[in-house]
Amino acid sequence: MGGCTDPEQYRVLRGHGTERPGTSPLMQEKRDGTFSCAGCGHPLFSSETKYESCTGWPSFFAPLEGAVATTEDRSHFMTRIEVHCAQCGGHLGHVFPDGPQPTGMRFCMNGVSLTFTPRDRD
């Protein structure tokens, strides 16, 4: 379970910040597993929904059922849909309607807001 002990994690998760594009090691994560909230450990995304969006942030076309919540974000002189952890409310990123099928959605997440747990191979 994460706790936001890193200043950058805290800035993004609790202060609604954004990490610099291309800085997350999770961009290169290709193993099967689960991406969870770095603030509370709540499972958010399956690796099966991760894809390369060429935006500079880890992207997914769908969250796990009930894992995230959204709110309208009117900061930075634009309207976007903010994605946050349904359990602790930590800021994860934003969702846009320009993703791949089957959902057509792009959940563009801050890697610092996530942790990754590889799936056990039996």
Side-chain angles (χ1 to χ4, degrees):
M1 179 148 345
C4 280
T5 57
D6 178 271
E8 179 68 354
Q9 274 184 329
Y10 189 86
R11 184 184 73 78
V12 173
L13 277 164
R14 304 300 177 219
H16 299 261
T18 301
E19 70 186 355
R20 286 188 348 265
T23 60
S24 174
L26 294 180
M27 294 277 301
Q28 293 6 285
E29 185 57 68
K30 306 265 191 266
R31 296 174 289 174
D32 289 338
T34 303
F35 294 85
S36 299
C37 177
C40 71
H42 185 63
L44 302 170
F45 297 94
S46 166
S47 60
E48 295 170 2
T49 65
K50 186 174 184 278
Y51 73 99
E52 178 53 61
S53 66
C54 299
T55 60
W57 292 276
S59 296
F60 305 85
F61 61 78
L64 296 172
E65 188 171 335
V68 303
T70 59
T71 54
E72 191 173 272
D73 176 1
R74 292 183 170 267
S75 64
H76 303 291
F77 306 105
M78 64 182 100
T79 300
R80 300 176 291 174
I81 303 299
E82 177 188 350
V83 178
H84 48 91
C85 175
Q87 182 165 288
C88 74
H91 173 73
L92 303 171
H94 292 86
V95 61
F96 303 94
D98 60 1
Q101 293 305 315
T103 66
M105 303 305 287
R106 173 174 50 97
F107 288 81
C108 190
M109 304 293 97
N110 289 289
V112 72
S113 296
L114 306 173
T115 61
F116 178 73
T117 304
R119 185 170 294 129
D120 290 334
R121 301 205 185 255
D122 295 331

